[in-house]
Amino acid sequence: MAWTQQEVRELKEGRYMLIDEEPCKILSIQTSKPGKHGEAKARIDAVGVFDGAKRSVVFPVKHKVQVPMIGKRQAQVLSLTDAEVQLMDLESYETFSLPLESELKGQLSPGGEVQYIDAMGKRRISRP
């Protein structure tokens, strides 16, 4: 959906990139020196924003990669069940439901505000 292109050498730790069509947060970047007949390579370790899976890739530093447009937005909790939470975006007033993650149980209450991440058509609560 919404992404831009960037060269590998322009990426930094803590930023985001797409690996296997999944938005990932970059944990570390190690670069190697160019060889006699090759160019410098970068090894990128990242973790998936929505699935939590760790991924590693190796690219030449001049290679272009896709960088997702990450939206951090505020929402109000409308209702809460054991399995999901219903939210309303505070800017667009759009209502939607998200699955309730186990680490957020007990931290949310109806009427409270949360921050959520919106990227590549997926959403996830990032901070209660």
Side-chain angles (χ1 to χ4, degrees):
M1 185 177 154
W3 52 267
T4 61
Q5 280 192 336
Q6 210 171 10
E7 284 190 5
V8 172
R9 68 173 138 212
E10 298 169 352
L11 297 175
K12 295 181 178 159
E13 293 179 12
R15 301 248 177 108
Y16 299 92
M17 71 178 287
L18 286 179
I19 301 175
D20 301 329
E21 299 296 318
E22 183 69 30
C24 297
K25 186 173 186 174
I26 298 172
L27 298 176
S28 66
I29 300 175
Q30 295 99 24
T31 56
S32 63
K33 292 182 180 180
K36 186 174 181 182
H37 299 290
E39 59 181 298
K41 303 253 189 311
R43 176 188 168 92
I44 302 170
D45 294 320
V47 63
V49 173
F50 297 108
D51 60 3
K54 289 192 176 183
R55 296 173 171 88
S56 292
V57 290
V58 177
F59 290 122
V61 294
K62 293 183 181 177
H63 185 77
K64 291 192 184 261
V65 294
Q66 296 174 343
V67 177
M69 304 297 262
I70 303 283
K72 294 182 181 175
R73 305 177 64 115
Q74 292 289 115
Q76 181 179 6
V77 178
L78 296 177
S79 67
L80 199 59
T81 64
D82 291 337
E84 67 179 23
V85 58
Q86 187 176 16
L87 301 171
M88 178 181 66
D89 187 285
L90 292 177
E91 289 180 24
S92 66
Y93 302 110
E94 172 190 5
T95 60
F96 54 92
S97 295
L98 293 177
L100 183 60
E101 298 174 15
S102 59
E103 62 266 7
L104 294 176
K105 288 186 179 180
Q107 296 183 18
L108 302 179
S109 61
E113 292 185 8
V114 295
Q115 182 179 14
Y116 71 95
I117 295 176
D118 184 16
M120 304 293 293
K122 299 178 184 177
R123 295 178 175 145
R124 177 178 169 258
I125 296 174
S126 61
R127 258 194 291 168

